[in-house]
Amino acid sequence: MLALLDRLEDPKRPLLGPNVKALKFWGLLLPKNLALKYFYLLMHVLVTIFTATEYVDVWFVKNDLNLLLNNLKITMLATMSVIKVTTFLTWQKHWQGIIDYVTRADLAQRVTTDETKNDLLAKYTSYCRKITYSYWSLMYTTVVIVMFQPVFKYFLSSSYRENVKMGTESYLQVVSSWLPFNKNTIPGHLAASAIQSYAAIYGGGWITSFDSNAMVIMVFFRTELELLKIDCANIFGSNDAQVSDGVAFKRLVECYKRHVELVKYSKLFDSCLSPIMLLYMFVCSVMLCVTAYQITSETSAMQRFLTTEYLVFGVAQLFIYCWHSNDVLYASLQLSQGPYESTWWMRHVSHRKNLFLLTGQFGKTIVFSAGPFTKLTVATFISILKGAYSYYTLLSKSQIKD
């Protein structure tokens, strides 16, 4: 396993190595080779068409609430995957620019001899690996559960097995979708399971590569803000080792330029991510509501466990985004303390004026959003959970009345 993880590393991209390789493997970063490029585009089109068939299937299961809810929670997640890939391909140049900036800025900081900065870089690089591999593991655990759920139910539920044999109940599908053949025969069910499993695996690859890349970029912005704060505190050197006016001015200008570039690419990143996060919030609210309802209404312990794992994945998806965006916000708010931690009082008034201009630049807060309506923070995450619980309560009461 360690050897496999080592192969994912890239010396040219010490922070984003595994994430960029995942983006290339799943075809989000299209290769220059035309044949391979069109192959990936074909795969994207096929999965998009499959997602459309999930919406078609809604019409056939609309009279069965359990099948309808199961369809909705999978279909909405698949829709998010398609939108992520579509926007990533549409804004390919923007995403490539962001990735190149992150790599360039990260490499520039890794040449430092400052132990504090090196420790910070090592800490966050290790954290990025943990969050990436943990998220991949959670996602593919969910994919495996979705794929083998029909098998688990067939062998663990005797009543379901007898009903299927008698023809009073249909085979449980991997993913609820419409297909142009009878899925209730053994050959039809096996063929449908193969197609649906392919879509689940490929969709899972889309989600893991896109989300983990976005999360690591958020961690980079937080790290860069903290490193910039350290550099601002050292603009004039220390009390015992003051630097010359020329060196101090050069450091001040460098800090200013770094923050201008940081703000520029954070806005570009937010413009690419914000529309997706707005839809994400709506999708997660519905998905969490539906999954919570299924857990309470399900009688099988195994089915409850499988559905609970899906709920954990849904909560984790949104929470990780909100948590890291929240970290970036607070790191940005604390950045202005950096210049005041320097020995500014020992310098000429002209340096103090320049420092005042620098703190004015730092007043541009970096925060990510979900459309034009809300900021992506932990408070927003809690509000979404409250909304999902409200929808769940409403759905539960409506079923009791029925």
Side-chain angles (χ1 to χ4, degrees), residues 229-253 255 338-359:
K229 181 182 177 182
I230 293 172
D231 288 338
C232 288
N234 293 324
I235 286 177
F236 303 115
S238 62
N239 290 331
D240 300 327
Q242 294 286 312
V243 299
S244 65
D245 290 347
V247 172
F249 183 74
K250 185 178 179 181
R251 289 182 178 181
L252 190 145
V253 170
C255 288
Y340 294 108
E341 293 174 3
S342 67
T343 56
W344 60 270
W345 67 88
M346 302 175 65
R347 313 301 290 203
H348 189 268
V349 66
S350 61
H351 289 294
R352 298 180 191 178
K353 290 180 180 179
N354 290 333
L355 206 65
F356 182 74
L357 293 175
L358 181 62
T359 55

Side-chain angles (χ1 to χ4, degrees), residues 252-289:
L252 190 145
V253 170
E254 181 62 27
C255 288
Y256 188 93
K257 288 181 178 179
R258 279 174 61 189
H259 191 261
V260 168
E261 194 174 30
L262 189 62
V263 171
K264 172 187 172 182
Y265 281 99
S266 67
K267 287 182 177 179
L268 181 60
F269 176 73
D270 187 48
S271 68
C272 292
L273 191 66
S274 181
I276 297 172
M277 294 312 302
L278 178 62
L279 184 59
Y280 220 165
M281 288 188 171
F282 171 73
V283 168
C284 281
S285 296
V286 176
M287 190 174 71
L288 296 179
C289 162

Side-chain angles (χ1 to χ4, degrees), residues 199-375:
I201 292 171
Y202 211 85
W206 282 354
I207 293 174
T208 53
S209 56
F210 183 96
D211 286 349
S212 61
N213 177 67
M215 292 167 189
V216 171
I217 289 175
M218 284 183 174
V219 174
F220 160 79
F221 282 120
R222 176 191 175 183
T223 308
E224 182 68 4
L225 286 166
E226 293 187 10
L227 292 172
L228 186 55
K229 181 182 177 182
I230 293 172
D231 288 338
C232 288
N234 293 324
I235 286 177
F236 303 115
S238 62
N239 290 331
D240 300 327
Q242 294 286 312
V243 299
S244 65
D245 290 347
V247 172
F249 183 74
K250 185 178 179 181
R251 289 182 178 181
L252 190 145
V253 170
E254 181 62 27
C255 288
Y256 188 93
K257 288 181 178 179
R258 279 174 61 189
H259 191 261
V260 168
E261 194 174 30
L262 189 62
V263 171
K264 172 187 172 182
Y265 281 99
S266 67
K267 287 182 177 179
L268 181 60
F269 176 73
D270 187 48
S271 68
C272 292
L273 191 66
S274 181
I276 297 172
M277 294 312 302
L278 178 62
L279 184 59
Y280 220 165
M281 288 188 171
F282 171 73
V283 168
C284 281
S285 296
V286 176
M287 190 174 71
L288 296 179
C289 162
V290 168
T291 309
Y293 174 78
Q294 286 185 314
I295 292 173
T296 55
S297 62
E298 184 60 59
T299 56
S300 168
M302 177 58 69
Q303 286 297 114
R304 281 189 176 183
F305 170 76
L306 299 178
T307 308
T308 300
E309 196 281 336
Y310 193 88
L311 178 64
V312 170
F313 170 69
V315 172
Q317 268 189 304
L318 188 58
F319 174 74
I320 292 174
Y321 272 110
C322 292
W323 179 267
H324 290 106
S325 178
N326 199 77
D327 279 350
V328 174
L329 172 60
Y330 278 92
S332 179
L333 293 173
Q334 293 172 1
L335 179 60
S336 59
Q337 298 175 10
Y340 294 108
E341 293 174 3
S342 67
T343 56
W344 60 270
W345 67 88
M346 302 175 65
R347 313 301 290 203
H348 189 268
V349 66
S350 61
H351 289 294
R352 298 180 191 178
K353 290 180 180 179
N354 290 333
L355 206 65
F356 182 74
L357 293 175
L358 181 62
T359 55
Q361 169 64 25
F362 289 170
K364 297 179 180 178
T365 306
I366 297 175
V367 61
F368 305 118
S369 59
F373 304 108
T374 185
K375 304 300 181 185

